[in-house]
Amino acid sequence: PDISLAVTSKNENGEEKKQDVVIVPGDGPKKISTSGCADLVLNIMRYEPDFIMSGDRIGSRSMLPNNPAILLFTQCGENDPETKWLFMRHKMSHMGGFSNGLNIEFDNMETQYDTGLEVVTDPGSVWVAIGALLLIAGLMLYLFPGKPVRSKTS
């Protein structure tokens, strides 16, 4: 899926600037420049389409995007990297706030559904076809035997 993040930063005057960033999980880190951070690296470490937490284990109930969540890695320049879970359906400001003054929200997601058809060959299909034809021929001979043969006895 294409995941849209809303990155909000403050400039020198204290004005907020919002920037939309689209990231695809598995494509690797993406570098952007914001007013709060010149070299911001964003990377989706983990994507869960239907987030669930059971004890200390995190997983997904299904492959449908019912409760999508991402584990986002961020690093601003030489600062220490941070990772946080972001949720699309539950916008929590305290979850999206990073120590470098940036606010990142999981804004939107576009899913792409693919379907595939795989064509293979089966080496035994010829024998199955021959068996089916013999079965049909035997059934035809049984149901329609033709004229009865009578011997001539005097």
Side-chain angles (χ1 to χ4, degrees):
D2 294 343
I3 294 177
S4 297
L5 300 175
V7 180
T8 307
S9 60
K10 291 184 179 181
N11 61 13
E12 309 81 47
N13 302 333
E15 298 171 348
E16 289 189 350
K17 182 183 174 191
K18 184 178 175 184
Q19 184 177 355
D20 292 325
V21 180
V22 176
I23 301 179
V24 178
D27 276 1
K30 186 164 191 169
K31 289 185 179 184
I32 64 168
S33 180
T34 65
S35 58
C37 179
D39 290 327
L40 178 64
V41 177
L42 300 172
N43 191 14
I44 296 177
M45 304 298 288
R46 189 168 170 185
Y47 164 70
E48 295 295 341
D50 196 2
F51 183 89
I52 185 172
M53 187 171 193
S54 177
D56 61 344
R57 292 179 39 201
I58 293 172
S60 187
R61 287 186 204 138
S62 69
M63 294 306 293
L64 298 174
N66 296 325
N67 184 27
I70 58 171
L71 181 61
L72 184 68
F73 167 89
T74 63
Q75 186 171 16
C76 180
E78 298 298 320
N79 295 348
D80 290 335
E82 293 182 68
T83 56
K84 287 193 180 188
W85 281 101
L86 300 178
F87 303 90
M88 187 174 85
R89 303 227 192 281
H90 307 286
K91 307 276 192 233
M92 294 183 251
S93 60
H94 66 278
M95 293 294 286
F98 289 84
S99 64
N100 51 17
L102 295 173
N103 187 26
I104 302 174
E105 290 184 356
F106 186 172
D107 203 28
N108 195 9
M109 181 178 69
E110 290 184 23
T111 55
Q112 300 166 345
Y113 296 102
D114 294 332
T115 247
L117 177 64
E118 187 174 333
V119 179
V120 296
T121 59
D122 185 9
S125 62
V126 173
W127 295 108
V128 171
I130 290 172
L133 289 175
L134 287 174
L135 212 72
I136 292 171
L139 187 64
M140 296 297 281
L141 288 174
Y142 177 76
L143 293 176
F144 307 107
K147 289 184 183 179
V149 178
R150 295 188 180 169
S151 61
K152 292 183 182 180
T153 55
S154 22

